[in-house]
Amino acid sequence: MSGALQTVRSAISRAFGGVPRTQSHMPQIGGSYFRNNVSPFLRDWRPALRETSEDVRQSWNLAAARAVDQIQNSGFIAGMCETSAALVVGDGLKLNAKPDAVALGWTPKQAQDWRTLVESRFSSWAGDALVCDANQRMTFGQMQEANYLAWLGLGEVLAMPLVRWSARTKSVTQILNIPATRLSQQTQPDIRMMQGVFVDGLGAAVGYRIDEITRWQGIVPRDFQRFDADGRRNVIHLFDPGLAVTRGISKFVPALKVTRQLDQFCDATHTAALLQTIFAATVKTNLQGLAAFEGLMTEGDHASLDLAKFLEMKNDWYEAAKIDMSTHGRIAHLMPNEELQFHKAEHPGQQFDMVMQWLLREIALVGGLTYEAATGDYRQATYSSVRMGTSINWNVITKRRKGVPSGYCQGVYETWLEDEIGIGNLPFPGGYEAFLANRQAACRATWSGPPKPQADDLKTAKANQTNLEIGVTTLESVCSENGEDWEDVMEQRARERERAKELGLADPYPDLVALELAKKQQAVKGNEEDKTDDASYTGEDQGA
């Protein structure tokens, strides 16, 4: 019996591709994760584990080409990028200079006056395309939008602040925006160059190799230091941060497959819909072919029936009774034993909308937008769902705004401010040397963008008012959501109130607390008068 049992066990084991169980083969315990990869969904899934920098290096060219192709040729992707740029950048981020008065040893009045002067002069410089742009085509706000759109497709922003005199505003700073495709893809570990970026021993970028297009020599690679000897920026290079990475990659890479599926699905559904309208019709007959029919006939049949004459008669029949499907309500008369059949193409029908929604949701999520904002489809949306989606997505918008556009603006602002102080256009206590010694404190600033979208402005305003009254928010936070700087708002309100007073007009910003208290006192007084009137009226009735 033992030999037969062992034979059965061996046969069962061979059937399942295993090893016969014996006393000397103990079962092996797999890892706690994946359960020893016994699942067919995991058995062949063995991706290579590499650093992100290596993945970016091998995929950058193809990923950038595919992403740019989708942005240029897909109306949905192009529109989504335009919407994202409008929410993140708008017509350009606004400078809010915030010099550290304590670190600089200034009084609050000195800091405020210097801040006003800097913002005014920077606004003049940023609004003139002939002054701020080395190509003299775009204002600073337009440059921000162009770089953000380039970042969506290429994953990087590359620019170089140049020193060029401009007689229009007596400024020397101009920005040369460079496509990230000109940043070299070479990697040479012996000189610590990773994908066109020179790094130090800790991986910090210290220089760049950029391909320069010349008229006579074509493309010539040139090396640039990241900062000069005084700490002035020579190159501005921005991308999403990551561990041990020196280059960025497009945000649309995870959704490129889905974008292709979306195009193919739409094309296939559209073709099926067209075939539904261009229907086909055939005449079904019992004649299977002239040769087959003749093979069934005898010599006598040939004598009594001439097939050529039969077909001629059939043609004459249909000449007199045409089958015209373009005529409404017409009844076609067919030959005996023949019938008219219609054929139609099948397409997804109601499933099309559901599939499209899920594909578009994934693309919109990668693009940093809600489904409703990306597609304009609010059919199934409610006020609560739109408000919740906007609130959650607002964190994504602010994150992107602080990551790329704000970083680009800050790099440009620091270079412009150094140049303006260096040539004497802007005063700075202690001069240029004092600025170099306190660069970080002097260049501190924030950048405000478009306001947060609201589903109902009145409800939002009431919520902000309530939060301010109970002390759970600040005026700075509320103004930030509206794309304003709270100090600018306060100063503007003071100027408007003073101007209204000079013109003898009512105060445009009355004390809301005093007004509310006056309303409550008036209401209490009104209630007391009503009680007195009621009592008098009752007494008169009793006297009567």
Side-chain angles (χ1 to χ4, degrees), residues 361-502:
R361 286 180 190 276
E362 182 173 350
I363 300 174
L365 192 62
V366 173
L369 298 173
T370 62
Y371 167 78
E372 290 79 11
T375 61
D377 181 11
Y378 290 87
R379 291 175 297 175
Q380 300 177 358
T382 62
Y383 170 78
S384 299
S385 65
V386 171
R387 191 171 186 274
M388 178 60 69
T390 302
S391 299
I392 295 176
N393 194 65
W394 180 247
N395 297 324
V396 179
I397 293 175
T398 54
K399 172 181 174 294
R400 289 193 173 186
R401 181 181 296 169
K402 292 180 180 179
V404 175
S406 294
Y408 171 77
C409 293
Q410 185 66 25
V412 171
Y413 168 65
E414 292 178 5
T415 306
W416 172 86
L417 184 60
E418 179 178 350
D419 294 342
E420 291 293 292
I421 295 175
I423 64 176
N425 285 345
L426 284 176
F428 193 85
Y432 182 65
E433 290 75 14
F435 169 80
L436 295 180
N438 300 275
R439 182 194 300 272
Q440 185 176 3
C443 294
R444 196 178 68 168
T446 60
W447 298 86
S448 57
K452 179 181 178 180
Q454 304 294 344
D456 191 318
D457 292 338
L458 180 59
K459 292 182 179 179
T460 302
K462 290 182 177 180
N464 289 334
Q465 180 182 358
T466 303
N467 291 333
L468 284 171
E469 291 175 354
I470 64 179
V472 297
T473 189
T474 62
L475 183 61
E476 181 180 9
S477 177
V478 174
C479 290
S480 177
E481 289 190 356
N482 291 327
E484 300 287 348
D485 181 75
W486 71 278
E487 293 182 342
D488 292 340
V489 173
M490 296 285 286
E491 293 171 4
Q492 181 64 26
R493 289 182 59 180
R495 287 192 293 268
E496 293 177 357
R497 171 175 285 181
E498 186 65 24
R499 184 58 176 164
K501 184 178 179 181
E502 292 175 359

Side-chain angles (χ1 to χ4, degrees), residues 49-82:
L49 181 60
R50 300 178 298 183
E51 290 190 359
T52 306
S53 59
E54 184 64 18
D55 291 332
V56 172
R57 185 183 68 84
Q58 293 190 7
S59 306
W60 196 92
N61 282 328
L62 184 59
R66 287 175 173 174
V68 172
D69 179 75
Q70 285 296 313
I71 294 174
Q72 292 179 343
N73 295 290
S74 172
F76 171 73
I77 302 298
M80 187 174 65
C81 291
E82 196 76 16

Side-chain angles (χ1 to χ4, degrees), residues 89-92 126 129 137-148:
V89 178
D91 58 355
R137 296 189 183 96
M138 296 182 289
T139 63
F140 187 54
Q142 292 172 331
M143 287 192 286
Q144 296 176 41
E145 180 183 4
N147 279 288
Y148 178 75

Side-chain angles (χ1 to χ4, degrees), residues 319-331:
E319 283 291 337
K322 294 181 179 180
I323 301 176
D324 188 2
M325 291 180 291
S326 64
T327 303
H328 301 287
R330 183 186 179 100
I331 300 177

Side-chain angles (χ1 to χ4, degrees), residues 350-365:
Q350 296 181 352
Q351 297 180 358
F352 173 78
D353 196 37
M354 180 180 65
V355 176
M356 283 289 293
Q357 284 190 29
W358 282 110
L359 292 176
L360 293 175
R361 286 180 190 276
E362 182 173 350
I363 300 174
L365 192 62

